[in-house]
């Protein structure tokens, strides 16, 4: 009879499943390719992280030795970035998240997805965003990491066997979410981002292989960078009666500020070209970029360098007490981030949003004489990020990973939901609206694949 026959009698269904799994080589090739692609995507994002940190470190050295140098260097870098983006990689402009969303829209066929996501655009995005940090512009690399990782995952589709159960849409979802997971060292946030922002079908939400790929990319980053966040660990406390009013103030204020910031971005990036400034932006993008870079440099000089870069160092200083938030930082950082994005630089807003939210929470803690400053900083971070992105669950999980213990879990979730609700009264969802603007680039008739 043999062991296999005996097992077939006792567990017929299990035996059939095992035979099917072992017999179909396509299943194993698909799994190997997807897992390998996720590992490569995670490594690329880690390399992106190291490169961007090195680039901003060089800028910081220059700015520290010569305080006036950004007034020349930053506009020149911005002009060069905008020129290169418009000349070689138009699809790399902006955050990167709207491009991935646009590529997932049903009306975009495979031939035109290269306009938004491709390996070539991933390389361009990585280089141009890094150069933005070398120029001291106010931007983050997390949104760009979404487009970079999605381009890597899309590139592996050629290695999948015919009639593979993994679709190109599924690879884009897994790649985009893997970018968030690896950028923040938070695999769970990547999974939630896929569900909350990118998924369009039950297959993309439930595929165990795709979820495994997202988690693997995050674990790659954790194994290399360590199980720590860029702001360190926040030691917060749960909201009690004494903290209820300040916490509510932070949630409402971050919802209002984040909603207005998102509305400003949408108005600037989506306004009709006939408006005066956007007409100049359309006709002379390099000059417009240089002017935007100069404005960012002036803001950075006025704030003694606080608004340059992503804002990680400033936020760390607020949390460890070595830095105090001036009442004007929220406004200046938001202005610098808006100008950077409006100039047409490939730039994300996740990290600057966390920095703005942290400063907002710190300011309210100072206003109310609240001793638990880290708690209000954490609430400000989750509130402002949730209000800007209108992705409360992703924002909540990203900040939750930074909190020491689980005491603040319910408080963070409540703040994210309340801030998102306030933001929705003020503005439309930012990334979904920007993805609709991206779709205007799709030609009326499908052409050959672009960007591969």
């Amino acid at each position: 009879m043999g062991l296999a026959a005996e097992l077939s009698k006792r567990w017929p269904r299990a035996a059939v499943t095992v035979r099917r799994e072992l017999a179909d080589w396509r299943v194993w090739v698909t799994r190997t390719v997807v897992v390998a692609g996720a590992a490569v995507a995670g490594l690329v994002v880690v390399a992106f992280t190291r490169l961007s940190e090195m680039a901003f470190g060089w800028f910081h050295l220059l700015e520290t030795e010569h305080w006036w140098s950004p007034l020349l260097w930053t506009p020149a870098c911005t002009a060069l970035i905008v020129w290169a983006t418009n000349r070689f990689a138009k699809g790399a402009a902006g955050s990167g998240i709207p491009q991935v969303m646009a590529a997932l829209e049903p009306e975009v066929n495979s031939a035109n997805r290269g306009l938004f996501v491709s390996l070539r655009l991933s390389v361009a995005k990585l280089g141009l965003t890094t150069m933005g940090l070398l120029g001291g512009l106010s931007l983050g690399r997390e949104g760009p990491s979404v487009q970079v990782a999605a381009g890597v995952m899309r590139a592996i589709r050629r290695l999948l066997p015919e009639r593979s159960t993994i679709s190109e849409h599924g690879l884009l979802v897994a790649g985009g979410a893997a970018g968030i997971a690896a950028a923040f060292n938070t695999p769970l946030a990547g999974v939630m981002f896929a569900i909350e922002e990118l998924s369009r079908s039950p297959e993309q939400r439930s595929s165990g292989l795709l979820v495994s790929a997202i988690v693997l990319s995050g674990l790659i980053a954790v194994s290399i960078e360590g199980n720590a966040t860029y702001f360190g660990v926040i030691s917060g406390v749960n909201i009690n009666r004494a903290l209820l009013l300040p916490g509510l103030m932070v949630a409402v204020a971050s919802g209002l500020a984040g909603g207005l910031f998102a509305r400003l971005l949408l108005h600037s990036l989506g306004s009709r070209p006939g408006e005066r400034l956007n007409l100049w932006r359309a006709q002379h993008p390099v000059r417009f970029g240089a002017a935007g870079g100069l404005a960012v440099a002036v803001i950075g000089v006025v704030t003694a360098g606080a608004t340059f870069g992503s804002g990680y160092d400033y936020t760390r200083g607020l949390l460890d007490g070595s830095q105090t938030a001036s009442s004007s930082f929220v406004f200046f950082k938001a202005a610098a981030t808006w100008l950077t994005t409006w100039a047409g630089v490939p730039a994300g807003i996740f990290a600057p949003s966390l920095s703005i939210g942290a400063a907002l929470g710190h300011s309210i803690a100072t206003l109310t004489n609240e001793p638990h400053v880290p708690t209000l900083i954490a609430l400000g971070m989750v509130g402002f990020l949730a209000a800007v992105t209108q992705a409360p669950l992703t924002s909540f999980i990203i900040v939750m990973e930074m909190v020491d213990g689980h005491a603040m879990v319910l408080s963070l979730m409540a703040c994210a939901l309340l801030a998102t609700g306030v933001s929705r009264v003020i503005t439309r969802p930012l990334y979904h609206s920007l993805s609709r603007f991206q779709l205007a680039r799709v030609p009326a008739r499908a052409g050959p694949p672009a960007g591969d």
Side-chain angles (χ1 to χ4, degrees):
M1 293 287 291
L3 181 60
E6 185 67 24
L7 289 174
S8 298
K9 288 183 177 181
R10 297 181 61 181
W11 301 292
R13 292 183 181 178
V16 170
T17 301
V18 169
R19 283 199 209 99
R20 187 186 302 118
E21 287 283 326
L22 295 176
D24 192 352
W25 61 271
R26 295 180 183 85
V27 173
W28 293 98
V29 171
T30 297
R31 291 173 179 171
T32 301
V33 169
V34 171
V35 169
V40 172
L43 290 171
V44 170
V45 172
V46 170
F48 186 17
T49 300
R50 297 281 180 88
L51 194 61
S52 60
E53 289 175 348
M54 188 184 304
F56 184 69
W58 289 339
F59 170 81
H60 183 64
L61 287 175
L62 177 66
E63 180 257 338
T64 301
E65 293 183 7
H66 309 286
W67 66 266
W68 47 266
S69 59
L71 298 174
L72 301 175
W73 176 247
T74 302
C77 280
T78 309
L80 180 58
I81 293 168
V82 173
W83 174 81
T85 302
N86 283 274
R87 178 67 176 82
F88 302 108
K90 284 190 175 182
S95 163
I97 295 175
Q99 285 92 324
V100 177
M101 288 182 167
L104 290 168
E105 290 295 334
E107 61 263 38
V108 179
N109 57 32
S110 183
N112 287 320
R113 287 192 187 114
L115 292 169
F116 309 111
V117 178
S118 72
L119 195 57
R120 182 178 66 84
L121 286 176
S122 294
V123 173
K125 191 81 168 189
L126 191 154
L128 293 169
T129 302
T130 300
M131 190 172 179
L133 287 169
L134 183 63
L137 294 169
S138 180
L139 58 88
R141 52 168 178 76
E142 295 76 19
S145 294
V146 171
Q147 190 178 15
V148 169
V152 172
M153 290 296 286
R154 182 174 182 259
I156 71 169
R157 76 193 188 283
R158 297 186 181 90
L159 304 177
L160 294 174
E162 293 184 9
R163 299 192 299 276
S164 172
T165 57
I166 300 299
S167 66
E168 187 177 7
H169 270 62
L171 290 175
L172 289 174
V173 170
I180 287 291
F184 281 108
N185 289 8
T186 53
L188 184 57
V191 175
M192 185 54 63
F193 182 73
I195 295 172
E196 193 171 35
E197 290 292 306
L198 299 181
S199 296
R200 293 292 186 272
S201 69
E203 177 262 334
Q204 293 163 4
R205 295 189 182 98
S206 61
S207 171
L209 181 57
L210 295 181
V211 171
S212 299
I214 297 167
V215 173
L216 176 61
S217 290
L219 292 177
I220 289 287
V222 170
S223 66
I224 296 175
E225 299 287 349
N227 190 19
T229 63
Y230 294 100
F231 303 117
V233 177
I234 303 172
S235 298
V237 298
N238 195 21
I239 296 295
N240 51 34
R241 288 187 178 181
L243 274 169
L244 183 59
L245 180 59
L248 186 61
M249 290 172 63
V250 171
V252 174
S254 59
L256 288 171
L260 290 173
F261 180 65
R263 187 180 180 92
L264 177 62
L265 287 175
L266 282 177
H267 179 76
S268 303
L269 300 175
S271 296
R272 292 170 294 183
E275 295 187 6
R276 181 175 298 177
L277 287 177
N278 272 334
L279 180 62
W280 182 33
R281 182 175 184 258
Q283 293 178 342
H284 306 285
V286 177
R287 295 180 190 176
F288 186 88
L294 178 60
V296 171
V298 170
I299 292 172
V301 170
V302 168
T303 58
T307 58
F308 287 130
S310 60
Y312 284 132
D313 293 335
Y314 190 87
T315 305
R316 285 196 201 99
L318 292 178
L319 288 168
D320 62 25
S322 62
Q323 181 75 50
T324 58
S326 66
S327 57
S328 60
F329 176 81
V330 171
F331 169 77
F332 282 130
K333 185 62 176 176
T337 306
W338 163 58
L339 289 167
T340 297
T341 305
W342 195 18
V345 173
I349 61 171
F350 267 67
S353 294
L354 289 171
S355 180
I356 294 168
L360 186 61
H362 187 280
S363 296
I364 291 178
T366 303
L367 179 66
T368 58
N369 293 318
E370 174 55 51
H372 298 292
V373 178
T375 297
L376 296 186
I377 289 177
L379 291 177
M381 292 166 71
V382 73
F384 191 85
L385 182 61
V388 172
T389 63
Q390 293 191 14
L393 297 180
T394 301
S395 304
F396 153 68
I397 291 173
I398 288 172
V399 179
M400 182 188 70
E401 293 284 344
M402 305 175 188
V403 177
D404 184 13
H406 300 284
M408 286 190 64
V409 168
L410 293 178
S411 303
L412 291 172
M413 184 179 293
C415 183
L417 293 172
L418 179 57
T420 301
V422 173
S423 175
R424 284 175 178 164
V425 176
I426 298 172
T427 185
R428 295 168 290 157
L430 176 64
Y431 290 131
H432 286 282
S433 299
L434 291 178
S435 71
R436 304 311 300 179
F437 300 156
Q438 287 287 333
L439 291 175
R441 299 176 51 235
V442 178
R445 294 183 180 180
D452 288 312

